Amino acid sequence: MTEFKQRIFSGVQPSGNLTLGNYLGAIRNWVTLQKTYESIFCVVDLHAITVWQDPAVLRNATREVAAGMIASGIDPKECIIFNQSQVPGHAELAWIFNCVARMGWLNRMTQFKEKAGKNRERASVGLYVYPDLMAADIMLYQATHVPVGEDQKQHLELTRDIAQKFNSDYGTEFFPIVEPLILGEAKRVMSLRDGTAKMSKSDPSENSRINLTDDRDTIAKKIRKARTDSEAIPSEIAGLEGRPEVKNLISIFAALSDRTVAEVCQQYGGQDFAPFKKDLAELSVSVLGPITEEMKRLCDEKTYIDQVLKEGSEKARILSEPVLKQVHNIVGFLQS
Ligand code: AQP
């Protein structure tokens, strides 16, 4: 068995404002993991253009997502932070993986079905092969672990399938079989308006999500308006069954306060939602407020952010080039 260096890769699309979902499902866990793993964090702009992005908005969002990562505590001196399009190996390995992955595998991807909706025929080919690019992002660095929200679990299973098929097709153990790291009490943060839909940057309803750029009043207003139901808060986890909106708010509270869902149920059980929502708004502001402030400050320092991304890209290229060269060799591409 090949021994791989323990390495993390993960990314965020610059397809809008960072949300509480991105923070709790991914970025916050990265901050903890960067202390124990060699870490590579990527602003995945190639993924973002699988749906139309205005070029000027995309440029801004790329800087803003990088600023959000740094403001949340990702240390550019300890980790590699870069934007995907500055390292050509991602697109190149994705092509090779397009030739490894099977149509049947991609046809099962729920994210494509959700995003393409009824307009499947009009969706971009990029959106369809998005998971192949994601597999390439990870395998380009032979990463062993990927911290993500629960929504990305299926794509990581596909990454494992692609790595396994590549290894078996070419009689090698070149690619590691990656392990997902899905951590915390809020693994899938749901929309504040609909507890059955994921909180998402691109949801047309602003009130469905909390953005890392929201100010105190906006956060309080969104939480006040968050959908609940007419029953009291349950005092046990079992009482959350069939109440997705309530479960979501309790999970967010637990994650933000570093407590368990059971503990939060115990504290607020039997009460109605008004005091709970008030406390949740205060808690959210106290955790997110300093991040928002720092993010704003960093967004004004475009030269600094661009420099971080440039240096990160150079480091990423140095790591990725020998991997890609070996892939060329394994596949049989003539190298002069
Ligand atoms: N609601 C969520 N709960 C938990 N984790 C989440 N993540 C995203 N939304 C939630 C995690 O954040 C990381 C980056 O996600 P992404 O930006 O690359 O893509 P996404 O999952 O498609 O996120 P969005 O916000 O829904 O973007 P759009 O609207 O553009 O599609 C991933 O680790 C993801 O699991």
Side-chain angles (χ1 to χ4, degrees):
M1 279 282 281
T2 312
E3 279 282 322
F4 292 96
K5 190 176 169 73
Q6 302 264 297
R7 183 180 282 162
I8 275 180
F9 178 95
S10 202
V12 182
Q13 295 186 75
S15 47
N17 287 321
L18 284 174
T19 69
L20 182 65
N22 298 130
Y23 179 67
L24 292 179
I27 300 174
R28 195 170 85 140
N29 298 324
W30 303 354
V31 175
T32 314
L33 292 162
Q34 70 180 339
K35 298 186 186 106
T36 34
Y37 289 88
E38 180 187 353
S39 303
I40 305 170
F41 299 121
C42 189
V43 185
V44 288
D45 46 10
L46 297 179
H47 283 277
I49 63 158
T50 54
V51 296
W52 161 253
Q53 305 291 332
D54 177 288
V57 176
L58 179 63
R59 260 188 290 277
N60 256 339
T62 302
R63 291 193 181 107
E64 198 174 272
V65 168
M69 289 180 186
I70 299 168
S72 301
I74 301 294
D75 182 353
K77 292 199 191 77
E78 295 296 325
C79 314
I80 297 179
I81 302 180
F82 72 107
N83 60 311
Q84 192 183 22
S85 59
Q86 294 209 62
V87 179
H90 289 258
E92 214 177 317
L93 186 56
W95 175 255
I96 294 170
F97 285 175
N98 282 341
C99 303
V100 174
R102 304 290 94 179
M103 295 280 286
W105 300 355
L106 290 172
N107 285 340
R108 286 196 284 277
M109 295 297 114
T110 53
Q111 181 173 293
F112 175 75
K113 288 181 196 159
E114 280 164 18
K115 287 200 173 176
K118 293 196 183 86
N119 269 336
R120 243 181 120 121
E121 296 293 313
R122 298 178 65 100
S124 75
V125 176
L127 190 64
Y128 183 69
V129 292
Y130 179 116
D132 294 350
L133 177 58
M134 180 165 156
D137 298 337
I138 300 162
M139 289 299 120
L140 190 59
Y141 304 96
Q142 293 176 308
T144 52
H145 295 80
V146 182
V148 280
E150 205 178 53
D151 58 306
Q152 291 300 326
K153 197 168 167 215
Q154 193 186 34
H155 286 166
L156 283 181
E157 277 157 16
L158 189 95
T159 300
R160 290 164 64 98
D161 289 344
I162 290 175
Q164 242 147 10
K165 182 159 174 19
F166 180 96
N167 287 351
S168 124
D169 284 355
Y170 292 102
T172 172
E173 291 186 348
F174 187 68
F175 286 124
I177 307 306
V178 74
E179 288 294 335
L181 297 173
I182 300 173
L183 308 167
E185 287 288 307
K187 298 177 176 66
R188 183 190 285 260
V189 179
M190 308 309 278
S191 157
L192 299 179
R193 307 300 303 158
D194 173 1
T196 62
K198 190 184 80 153
M199 182 182 284
S200 186
K201 293 186 212 86
S202 55
D203 190 315
S205 162
E206 258 298 315
N207 284 331
S208 69
R209 62 177 163 267
I210 291 174
N211 301 312
L212 292 198
T213 48
D214 285 345
D215 61 25
R216 163 187 285 273
D217 291 346
T218 311
I219 292 177
K221 191 186 86 198
K222 287 180 177 175
I223 291 176
R224 219 172 29 246
K225 286 190 154 192
R227 200 166 144 187
T228 49
D229 54 35
S230 53
E231 285 171 48
I233 297 174
S235 34
E236 310 228 337
I237 293 185
L240 295 170
E241 199 59 44
R243 300 176 71 187
E245 284 85 12
V246 180
K247 186 175 174 197
N248 187 38
L249 293 182
I250 302 267
S251 306
I252 293 173
F253 196 113
L256 286 173
S257 59
D258 283 321
R259 290 155 75 200
T260 62
V261 168
E263 283 167 348
V264 180
C265 284
Q266 228 166 37
Q267 183 183 344
Y268 288 95
Q271 300 185 23
D272 68 24
F273 286 96
F276 169 77
K277 281 184 168 179
K278 189 167 164 286
D279 289 355
L280 178 57
E282 270 168 27
L283 174 63
S284 307
V285 168
S286 74
V287 175
L288 302 181
I291 298 174
T292 307
E293 283 285 296
E294 179 62 1
M295 207 171 141
K296 264 197 206 133
R297 192 188 69 75
L298 288 170
C299 282
D300 288 337
E301 296 204 19
K302 283 191 187 147
T303 323
Y304 167 70
I305 297 291
D306 290 358
Q307 188 61 24
V308 166
L309 295 174
K310 181 170 177 273
E311 283 171 17
S313 305
E314 279 157 12
K315 289 187 207 155
R317 231 176 287 140
I318 289 169
L319 284 180
S320 66
E321 275 168 4
V323 175
L324 202 56
K325 205 167 174 355
Q326 287 181 75
V327 172
H328 280 210
N329 189 35
I330 291 169
V331 169
F333 293 158
L334 194 61
Q335 301 177 69
S336 48

